[in-house]
Amino acid sequence: MVAEDNKIKYGFVVLHYMAYEMTVECVANLLQCFKNDNIKIAIVDNASSNGSGRQLADFYKDNNKIDVLLNPKNEGFARGNNFGYRYLKENYSPEYMIVMNNDVLIEQQNFLTKIEQIYRKTKFAVLGPDIYCPAVKKHQNPAHLKGFEKREVQQLYNTISKYCVHPAFYYYKKETFGKLKQKILKRPQNVDTIDHSKAMENVVLHGACYIFSINFMKQRTDCFCPDTFLYMEEDILHYECMISGLKILYSPEIRVKHLEDVSTNVSVKSGYKKFKMKNREMERSIAIFLRLISKEGEDT
């Protein structure tokens, strides 16, 4: 039981890995936007080898709105965020939890007010904002309009496994995972074809920023499937929410800016190395997703 004077209304989880300046910019943005709001920010350092986690802990040691959590090992996207999610839930009992990349900036002063207004109307479990990426001049939410079927996940796994066996061949052919999904799903995956000006229910949300309501937190110990290291978290989350009857909502009434892939770019410079790493982790995550869908099919 969380003491009444420890409770907060809005919790933020900011996952940090290596990119010190970006995390500081992200947190400064939150403090500026929400200086008068009842917030707590949990920065989760995923065992950054450059010592930036301890730098952050020292930098924010006197700020009572920020707790820096030093993960003893790099546990990837899902478990890193789960660490922060559980910490805020157990220690501060927030009504809303915003889990966001450290390369996301919020410039909308009424962002939190809007979240509460949307919740009152819709009782969402998971909410996704309009995510704009200036680097590519694209709106990234929703990621796509419907989730994967089992046969599609199996096809993704079969093909990504080939990428892992022959990485150089597919790298120089410029075969990206995005192109792979388009080939296999045979339906538009380009967010340019989606009207992001309209609110939509139960779509697959982009992973850069999620807002979880009390409805979600009452049911879920973790925000993401803890078995993955990187990739497919958004697709697995969508699947689990649909199975559990948890409402997902995309709303253009709230907006964020996404600077994209900062931590990955800091830690993996080479294009070929990054390609190999992405495909290896993607293969593992798709295998986990496939087992999840197959198990659900056996249980029903």
Side-chain angles (χ1 to χ4, degrees):
M1 180 71 70
V2 176
E4 200 61 39
D5 57 354
N6 266 359
K7 287 187 177 181
I8 58 165
K9 190 156 192 176
Y10 306 98
F12 289 85
V13 177
V14 178
L15 189 63
H16 169 79
Y17 184 68
M18 306 287 277
Y20 177 83
E21 291 82 6
M22 187 71 258
T23 298
V24 169
E25 182 182 352
C26 171
V27 172
N29 164 252
L30 295 178
L31 292 173
Q32 176 59 34
C33 264
F34 311 124
K35 57 189 172 187
N36 299 319
D37 293 289
N38 183 15
I39 69 168
K40 177 68 77 169
I41 302 166
I43 302 171
V44 179
D45 171 55
N46 241 346
S48 299
S49 58
N50 62 357
S52 54
R54 296 208 169 273
Q55 269 185 282
L56 290 167
D58 186 59
F59 187 67
Y60 292 116
K61 66 184 177 187
D62 298 322
N63 193 315
N64 62 9
K65 289 197 170 187
I66 301 170
D67 292 347
V68 178
L69 312 178
L70 301 176
N71 223 346
K73 65 178 182 176
N74 182 358
E75 295 196 306
F77 179 88
R79 290 192 295 276
N81 278 310
N82 287 346
F83 182 25
Y85 171 91
R86 287 194 305 270
Y87 174 81
L88 288 179
K89 187 179 169 186
E90 291 165 9
N91 291 281
Y92 299 103
S93 192
E95 293 178 38
Y96 303 96
M97 187 103 68
I98 297 98
V99 176
M100 54 191 278
N101 291 1
N102 69 336
D103 57 1
V104 166
L105 300 177
I106 299 172
E107 298 173 337
Q108 191 178 9
Q109 297 294 320
N110 64 348
F111 186 83
L112 299 180
T113 306
K114 282 286 186 186
I115 288 172
E116 190 160 16
Q117 289 171 351
I118 294 165
Y119 178 74
R120 285 191 193 132
K121 289 179 188 173
T122 66
K123 304 299 182 192
F124 69 82
V126 188
L127 176 64
D130 179 4
I131 300 173
Y132 182 70
C133 182
V136 292
K137 297 182 171 63
K138 288 185 185 295
H139 294 264
Q140 297 178 310
N141 238 352
H144 37 275
L145 297 179
K146 66 180 213 178
F148 291 119
E149 297 173 9
K150 181 181 175 182
R151 61 175 179 79
E152 294 170 330
V153 180
Q154 183 67 64
Q155 286 178 284
L156 285 172
Y157 180 77
N158 293 345
T159 309
I160 202 74
S161 295
K162 294 177 187 175
Y163 285 28
C164 292
V165 173
H166 305 290
F169 174 76
Y170 289 104
Y171 175 71
Y172 291 108
K173 276 187 71 178
K174 301 191 183 304
E175 288 283 353
T176 65
F177 186 68
K179 288 181 182 178
L180 169 61
K181 284 199 290 187
Q182 286 182 37
K183 284 180 185 177
I184 288 175
L185 300 178
K186 295 182 171 46
R187 61 177 187 256
Q189 293 301 303
N190 187 339
V191 288
D192 290 340
T193 64
I194 298 173
D195 184 357
H196 54 79
S197 67
K198 295 179 180 178
M200 291 172 250
E201 284 189 17
N202 297 332
V203 291
V204 181
L205 297 174
H206 192 282
C209 181
Y210 288 104
I211 298 100
F212 299 106
S213 77
I214 195 70
N215 287 349
F216 183 91
M217 288 183 273
K218 281 178 180 175
Q219 287 201 36
R220 301 263 305 199
T221 304
D222 290 318
C223 52
F224 300 115
C225 171
D227 299 329
T228 63
F229 185 82
L230 276 175
Y231 308 119
M232 299 302 290
E233 294 87 2
E234 53 203 18
D235 299 288
I236 294 173
L237 176 64
H238 176 270
Y239 176 77
E240 290 177 328
C241 285
M242 294 304 94
I243 291 295
S244 303
L246 291 168
K247 182 192 284 188
I248 295 176
L249 180 68
Y250 161 74
S251 175
E253 292 184 56
I254 52 172
R255 302 178 300 278
V256 302
K257 185 190 291 184
H258 185 207
L259 305 181
E260 191 144 313
D261 273 350
V262 170
S263 293
T264 304
N265 290 335
V266 166
S267 58
V268 185
K269 300 282 188 187
S270 155
Y272 179 58
K273 282 185 180 177
K274 186 175 176 181
F275 180 81
K276 283 175 66 178
M277 182 274 291
K278 279 190 168 186
N279 289 330
R280 183 178 65 250
E281 295 302 336
M282 194 74 73
E283 181 185 39
R284 291 172 182 165
S285 295
I286 295 170
I288 288 161
F289 192 9
L290 191 57
R291 286 198 298 273
L292 186 67
I293 294 180
S294 300
K295 182 178 184 302
E296 190 64 37
E298 290 169 6
D299 292 345
T300 55

